[in-house]
Amino acid sequence: MLDRRVGELVAFPTETVYGLGGDATDEAAVARIFAAKRRPRFNPLIVHVPGLAEAEVLARFDERARSAARRFWPGPLSLVLPRRPECGLSLLVSAGLDTVALRAPGHAVAQALLRTAGRPIAAPSANRSGRVSPTIAAHVAAELGDSVALILDAGACSVGIESTVLDLTGAVPALLRPGGITFEQLSAIFGPVEMAVAGEDAPRAPGRLPSHYAPGRPLRLDVVDARPGEALLVFGPEAPPGFAAVLFLSQSGDLGEAAANLFAMLRRLDRPQFSAIAVMPIPHEGLGRAINDRLRRAAAPRT
Ligand code: TXA
Ligand code: MG
């Protein structure tokens, strides 16, 4: 049986992606997460809780934050809020900021783990820093198998793309990372939502550094015509001719299905025999914003 008191790490499924979990109140456990991922220590982690009651102990919620939690939790939304001084959370988990990102995941296994642990769990995506997030347990085993005491395997993640990160510390809600809850869903509740542009003001959400989510092969976006040796990710019913391999993100043009398939298909096409991974245009709406955000980062020059 896993002993949480010695600060071991557990990989676990959420509805978005697999997380690399550790006791968020244990500085050593949190340090182990950063080390396993080779993650720069200026990039803070998301702290997971079962729900709003447990979250309010850790951060200050105003009515706006409470209504967001009531509407979207448990689910793929992380809220950046002021840390309570007495929260007991590791300092490293917030990378020294006076804010903390909180999320109540909807996955039954994540909920069971959180309730059994009886404490908040810090969990970034269970991949090496800068690489593609894992949506099945085998991805975690391949990349971080040596760093974790246990991998809880519950099959494929249903959303497949990370949570939306929403900063509620300012007067206007700021979208730091598009994700499983869409801009349109947030605007319907909050009215104006500021779009924090990637690369700018990077420490606010360092996960938004231009190059991120990168496969090993080069990526080419908004592709309509084949170049020699390319593999293609198709969106829609038909693949243009001339590609060395094709995978369909969604033949029916469903953005939810495309998001769920994105990371696993990027990994499947990330092979030296292909000159590049080409991706057809994806609409910039709903979950398409999150998909395009990840693709743009994956295609960015490597830092
Ligand atoms: O879906 C998800 O969010 C997954 C699952 C496991 O919950 N987790 C995840 O964590 O994607 P990670 O560490 O890969 O991404 C966390 C993002 C980063 O972009 C980080 O910069 C941002 O959240 N973040 C965390 N704490 C923050 C804070 N206090 N202020 C601003 N951004 C923060
Ligand atoms: Mg990540």
Side-chain angles (χ1 to χ4, degrees), residues 13-51:
T14 81
E15 71 277 31
T16 58
V17 300
Y18 275 76
L20 177 64
D23 182 345
T25 66
D26 178 345
E27 209 72 67
V30 173
R32 212 163 283 151
I33 295 175
F34 279 90
K37 280 187 62 103
R38 299 186 197 143
R39 178 171 174 123
R41 287 193 173 212
F42 60 76
N43 191 1
L45 307 180
I46 294 172
V47 174
H48 297 68
V49 290

Side-chain angles (χ1 to χ4, degrees), residues 40 43 58 114 138-139 183 232 237 268 279:
N43 191 1
L58 306 174
L114 286 162
H139 298 160
F183 177 75
L232 179 71
R268 279 169 60 191
V279 189

Side-chain angles (χ1 to χ4, degrees), residues 4-303:
R4 69 183 184 223
R5 288 161 305 179
V6 301
E8 289 194 83
L9 305 185
V10 175
F12 65 99
T14 81
E15 71 277 31
T16 58
V17 300
Y18 275 76
L20 177 64
D23 182 345
T25 66
D26 178 345
E27 209 72 67
V30 173
R32 212 163 283 151
I33 295 175
F34 279 90
K37 280 187 62 103
R38 299 186 197 143
R39 178 171 174 123
R41 287 193 173 212
F42 60 76
N43 191 1
L45 307 180
I46 294 172
V47 174
H48 297 68
V49 290
L52 180 57
E54 294 82 2
E56 292 220 41
V57 177
L58 306 174
R60 281 206 321 275
F61 279 68
D62 56 13
E63 262 321 301
R64 194 176 53 168
R66 258 179 227 118
S67 66
R70 285 197 200 103
R71 172 73 181 78
F72 296 114
W73 282 4
L77 178 67
S78 298
L79 300 175
V80 175
L81 295 166
R83 276 169 72 113
R84 286 187 188 281
E86 70 286 6
C87 64
L89 291 174
S90 131
L91 292 173
L92 194 52
V93 90
S94 291
L97 301 171
D98 55 8
T99 57
V100 61
L102 295 173
R103 161 160 126 82
H107 197 291
V109 172
Q111 281 285 332
L113 176 68
L114 286 162
R115 293 192 188 278
T116 306
R119 60 189 62 207
I121 294 181
S125 49
N127 52 278
R128 283 269 157 78
S129 186
R131 311 300 296 190
V132 178
S133 293
T135 55
I136 58 172
H139 298 160
V140 184
E143 226 165 283
L144 291 174
D146 295 342
S147 311
V148 295
L150 190 68
I151 300 175
L152 298 174
D153 184 351
C157 302
S158 61
V159 177
I161 210 152
E162 300 86 344
S163 65
T164 299
V165 180
L166 186 70
D167 184 344
L168 291 180
T169 60
V172 178
L175 189 73
L176 301 186
R177 179 177 74 180
I181 298 294
T182 65
F183 177 75
E184 290 85 346
Q185 285 176 293
L186 295 174
S187 304
I189 290 214
F190 291 114
V193 173
E194 181 192 322
M195 283 283 231
V197 180
E200 258 171 46
D201 118 56
R204 249 174 113 185
R208 300 180 305 124
L209 290 173
S211 170
H212 210 82
Y213 307 101
R217 294 279 81 204
L219 219 75
R220 198 161 71 84
L221 306 183
D222 299 319
V223 166
V224 283
D225 293 310
R227 289 184 191 166
E230 281 183 339
L232 179 71
L233 281 180
V234 182
F235 185 77
E238 270 175 72
F243 289 91
V246 290
L247 289 177
F248 288 85
L249 285 168
S250 172
Q251 281 196 286
S252 64
D254 180 87
L255 289 167
E257 186 184 13
N261 283 330
L262 179 67
F263 289 145
M265 289 187 174
L266 278 175
R267 283 177 188 256
R268 279 169 60 191
L269 295 182
D270 194 10
R271 301 188 176 283
Q273 78 224 51
F274 302 127
S275 60
I277 304 172
V279 189
M280 284 172 67
I282 313 254
H284 290 257
E285 63 190 32
L287 284 173
R289 289 176 197 269
I291 295 172
N292 280 298
D293 170 81
R294 305 306 188 270
L295 286 172
R296 246 188 333 270
R297 271 177 238 294
R302 309 294 152 84
T303 42

